[in-house]
DNA sequence: GACCACGATATCCGTGGTGTATCGGGAAAG
DNA sequence: CTTTCCCGATACACCACGGATATCGTGGTC
């Protein structure tokens, strides 16, 4: 009473194909007697005669026909198991969940994501627009594989992450085309302080605070929005003067005007993060694309991998 | 370098389920070391690491996840192979191709086919209306499994068939409700000889010839049709007096009238045939239904099987 | 009636899967 | 920091099972 093994299936399929014990055995690279015994064992195990041995050849019975259909399917599955495992190990299949802030979707991401999609067409790429805090939380919760935020994740768990800068910005203002600032190349912080401001929801408590260190009042009165598209939209509606990263200039709206803020005020970098211990081959493949397509980020990743090769096998 | 066997799949699935070598081995009824070696062998054979052994448990890698999906599918196929083989051996699946003359579809077949369909709902039942010669040829060609014709197959190959009678008929005439015969209980052969006749296509050369042995002229002038429904239809159109088996009375048409032919003239029996050497379990199951549902045919089949048990394993 | 082809059976051999015993490493507890 | 414990890997012996060779039984054919 031994279990049915893949060997039995291979033998049965070969026997059905050749209709002859001797030739089937030869095609399997074994002698005829073991094939007879294995087929007999299979029939005993299944409990039904699977082949009719006649003088004109060996033919599957009705039960044999039904069995062979499944047997072929099972063998095909086993073959595909090996194929799929190899493909998954090369990062050719699987999924990659990316959380990203809207501004990164304007500049570095379209190129990278496009190339990655082309190089790994079977990977399910799940991109979600989020805010910086959401992005960090999602990565630590395991709901994301890659996070792109501004300033990178901080706090508990951040030491298990690897973070690389993927873009620098300075602050720019955006106003309606009808606003007095429209047409000006720049505005000063003093001018801004006199205007109603539209800023990112949590920017007041984070990167904008130092700018209005003298008098934080304008930030307190500011309207807020959760992404730069909404900021630009509100500015276009004359809801106020929008503030955002210089990357925001890539929003192609004819009804707004962008001014540099003087003095030039550097914003926290766009940062890409992933779990240092993440063994995902898809992530490795993604990082490979990032490294190849962003010269500065690439060298940074090279460094990281050289110093800490256990991070992931790119 | 040994092939991947079903054992490897079972072990990998169990390991993934338990996340623990010891417990997985226990669930498989083997000790822990062999499980370790078998998983290692599987990984070596597939060429990829399939499980990450951590201190918190054993988890599939990305390659392992992909492999396990296929592995589970392959094992399920193997299980279904056994199920399907057993079902096919019991005649619960498969197909049965039946060729049958129209008159048999009026009386004995509806009951038998209905019961068989209910007792073996997964068998694909292919019923084709044919003429007696077509039915015999189809059976000998292997295009049918069961043939129901009038008089049974004759000629080359008929000795490889088993044939049992499933219904007796005598000749009846069918006329339009507007015909002078309408309302009469019977007609004589002499009366028929004076009328234009509508008969089955090959009936003139076979079973009707003796009836008009004195003067075959009426048959020569007869219109012909390939089945009894058409005969009745032509009669209803006043194309002539139709002749057919008494079974034809079961055609429920209000526009025709049936008369017995005097003297009563027995027609060749309806016969059911199948290949004596046909091992099909579906056929066996079908014959079982026939035997149980037709008392006279059943005893005949019992006799046949008793005298010649090699025919088929009912 | 003898030969031939083919599958089944008998017997021996070797591989490999399994069990017992043990090692090694990492994490948690003291 | 040391000890302990847990767990997977390794070592090794055993034997069951798959495979090879030799032979038999049988049905079909010339």
């Amino acid at each position: 009473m031994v279990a049915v093994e893949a060997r039995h299936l291979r033998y049965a399929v070969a026997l059905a194909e050749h209709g002859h014990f001797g030739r089937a055995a030869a095609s399997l690279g074994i002698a005829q007697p073991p094939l007879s015994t294995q087929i007999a064992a299979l029939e005993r195990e299944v409990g039904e005669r699977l082949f009719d041995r006649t003088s004109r050849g060996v033919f599957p019975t009705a039960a044999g026909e039904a069995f062979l259909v499944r047997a072929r399917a099972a063998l095909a599955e086993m073959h595909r198991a090996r194929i799929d495992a190899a493909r998954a190990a090369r990062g050719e299949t699987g999924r990659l969940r990316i959380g990203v802030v809207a501004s990164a979707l304007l500049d570095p991401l379209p190129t990278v994501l496009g190339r990655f999609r082309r190089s790994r067409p079977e990977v399910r790429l799940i991109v979600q627009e989020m805010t910086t805090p959401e992005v960090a939380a999602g990565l630590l919760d395991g709901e994301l594989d890659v996070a792109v935020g501004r300033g990178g994740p901080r706090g508990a768990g951040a030491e298990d992450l690897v973070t690389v800068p993927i873009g620098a910005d300075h602050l720019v203002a955006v106003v309606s085309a009808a606003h007095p600032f429209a047409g000006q190349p720049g505005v000063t912080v003093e001018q801004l302080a006199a205007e109603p401001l539209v800023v990112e929801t949590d920017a007041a408590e984070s990167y904008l605070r130092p700018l209005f260190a003298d008098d934080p009042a304008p930030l307190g009165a500011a309207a807020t929005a959760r992404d730069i598209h909404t900021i630009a939209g509100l500015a276009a509606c004359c809801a106020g003067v929008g503030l955002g990263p210089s990357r925001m200039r890539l929003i192609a709206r004819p009804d707004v005007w962008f001014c540099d803020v003087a003095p030039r005020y550097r914003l926290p970098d766009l940062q890409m993060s992933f779990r240092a211990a993440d063994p995902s081959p898809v992530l490795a493949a993604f990082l490979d694309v990032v490294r190849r397509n962003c010269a500065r980020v690439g060298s940074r990743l090279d460094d990281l991998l050289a110093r800490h090769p256990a991070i992931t096998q790119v």
Side-chain angles (χ1 to χ4, degrees), chain A:
Chain A
M1 195 67 168
V2 291
V4 175
E5 290 294 339
R7 179 184 57 254
H8 297 116
L9 308 189
R10 286 190 288 268
Y11 289 7
V13 168
L15 180 55
E17 270 176 11
H18 290 88
H20 187 285
F21 273 80
R23 282 191 285 277
S27 82
L28 290 165
I30 63 173
Q32 170 259 317
L35 178 58
S36 287
T37 58
Q38 289 299 306
I39 294 292
L42 174 62
E43 289 176 328
R44 181 169 45 79
E45 189 58 25
V46 172
E48 304 292 346
R49 196 155 188 81
L50 300 178
F51 290 95
D52 271 334
R53 289 83 157 165
T54 77
S55 55
R56 290 177 317 284
V58 179
F59 304 97
T61 62
E65 293 280 11
F67 185 88
L68 284 164
V69 171
R70 297 293 190 186
R72 279 185 248 262
L75 291 173
E77 283 296 329
M78 290 182 66
H79 185 242
R80 268 173 283 179
R82 307 179 61 152
I83 308 285
D84 285 8
R87 286 163 54 82
R90 287 197 300 269
E92 292 179 9
T93 62
R95 64 167 190 197
L96 192 70
R97 299 159 304 173
I98 306 182
V100 60
V101 292
S103 58
L105 280 174
L106 287 173
D107 174 29
L109 268 283
T111 310
V112 170
L113 291 181
R115 299 203 176 177
F116 179 72
R117 221 186 266 277
R118 253 167 290 140
S119 88
R120 296 289 193 279
E122 307 234 346
V123 171
R124 206 150 52 91
L125 198 52
I126 302 160
V127 183
Q128 231 174 324
E129 191 271 329
M130 310 168 92
T131 66
T132 291
E134 288 168 352
V135 142
L139 191 58
L140 291 168
D141 291 355
E143 290 177 9
L144 294 177
D145 302 306
V146 173
V148 176
R150 190 164 293 277
R154 264 178 294 272
E159 65 277 8
D160 295 334
L161 306 180
V162 176
T163 300
V164 293
I166 60 168
D169 277 290
H170 58 272
L171 192 69
V172 300
V174 54
V175 296
S176 160
H179 192 275
F181 290 173
Q184 295 184 14
V187 296
T188 65
V189 174
E190 289 72 32
Q191 285 178 301
L192 287 175
E195 297 277 340
L197 298 180
V198 184
V199 302
E200 264 190 284
T201 304
D202 44 307
E205 292 85 50
S206 58
Y207 58 83
L208 282 187
R209 184 187 297 274
L211 190 66
F212 297 93
D214 299 343
D215 175 14
L219 283 177
T224 65
R226 66 173 299 290
D227 67 80
I228 56 178
H229 298 283
T230 311
I231 292 176
L234 288 170
C237 299
C238 297
V241 175
L243 291 180
S246 43
R247 209 160 296 268
M248 191 166 57
R249 286 183 182 276
L250 294 170
I251 299 176
R253 288 186 69 143
D255 55 354
V256 297
W257 178 262
F258 295 97
C259 312
D260 280 326
V261 173
R264 176 179 271 247
Y265 181 68
R266 172 107 183 246
L267 296 184
D269 283 346
L270 279 180
Q271 305 265 9
M272 174 182 294
S273 306
F274 52 92
R275 286 182 296 279
D278 192 337
S280 158
V282 175
L283 173 61
F286 181 74
L287 293 177
D288 205 40
V289 170
V290 172
R291 196 179 49 160
R292 272 205 247 279
N293 287 282
C294 311
R296 284 170 45 202
V297 187
S299 61
R300 181 72 206 284
L301 271 176
D302 287 340
D303 286 0
L304 274 169
L305 294 172
R307 276 188 290 120
H308 188 179
I311 290 176
T312 190
Q313 55 281 49
V314 175

